[in-house]
Amino acid sequence: MKVLMVCLGNICRSPTAEAVLRAKLEAAGLAHRITVDSDGTGDWHIGNPPDSRSQRHAAQRGYDLSALRGRQVAEADFHRFDLILAMDDANLADLQRLAPEGASRAEVRLFAPVEVPDPYTGGAAGFEQVLDLVEPTSDTWVQNLATRLGTS
Ligand code: 4NP
């Protein structure tokens, strides 16, 4: 099973969600059955590492974002991934617009029950808020994915 996290820039929210869900899948013994990736709807940060503030705040909670690099959503993603998870309503609308006509593999939905606010132009509290939302939501996704795999 393949899961893709999507935000706008792919340097703050979606790399954070990628690293946190991967760590939680590893802890649950499911990492060998589920791959997690991330990209952005925008193209500004292709090839760039995550925002240094995202890296720092995530590292304080034990998540290493340093090896991740920015990518942009492509139509092929809708065929490669089973689940595409948008961080906010604008990301979801962009994904729905980019989705290929007709059937594709991916189920596209919001990552969390609420939007994950974009921290890019704000202060440290915004980056903490991202982690405060992403950590428990990733726990819920581990349960959800385990059920989908029939291992729960
Ligand atoms: P992200 O945050 O979507 O969580 O990665 C942003 C990063 C960069 C920009 C916007 C949002 N930007 O406009 O460059």
Side-chain angles (χ1 to χ4, degrees), residues 12 25 33 50 66 70 74 86 92 98-99 109-110 133 141 143 145:
C12 299
L25 288 170
R33 299 195 56 191
S66 62
L92 184 62
L98 292 165
R109 52 184 284 188
L110 276 181
L133 266 168
W141 275 112
Q143 297 302 318
L145 293 165

Side-chain angles (χ1 to χ4, degrees), residues 6-15 40-41 44-45 51 53-54 87-88 91 116-121 130:
V6 175
C7 63
L8 179 58
N10 193 212
I11 55 168
C12 299
R13 294 166 292 174
S14 62
T41 57
W44 313 285
H45 302 290
D51 187 287
R53 298 164 296 173
S54 289
M87 294 296 129
D88 66 27
N91 306 148
V116 181
D118 182 350
Y120 187 62
T121 55
V130 169

Side-chain angles (χ1 to χ4, degrees), residues 120-133:
Y120 187 62
T121 55
F127 290 86
E128 286 298 303
Q129 187 184 14
V130 169
L131 284 156
D132 287 344
L133 266 168

Side-chain angles (χ1 to χ4, degrees), residues 9-53:
N10 193 212
I11 55 168
C12 299
R13 294 166 292 174
S14 62
T16 300
E18 174 186 348
V20 171
L21 180 60
R22 183 179 293 125
K24 289 182 179 294
L25 288 170
E26 281 166 9
L30 292 172
H32 63 296
R33 299 195 56 191
I34 302 171
T35 63
V36 189
D37 209 335
S38 69
D39 55 26
T41 57
D43 64 0
W44 313 285
H45 302 290
I46 293 170
N48 292 346
D51 187 287
S52 59
R53 298 164 296 173

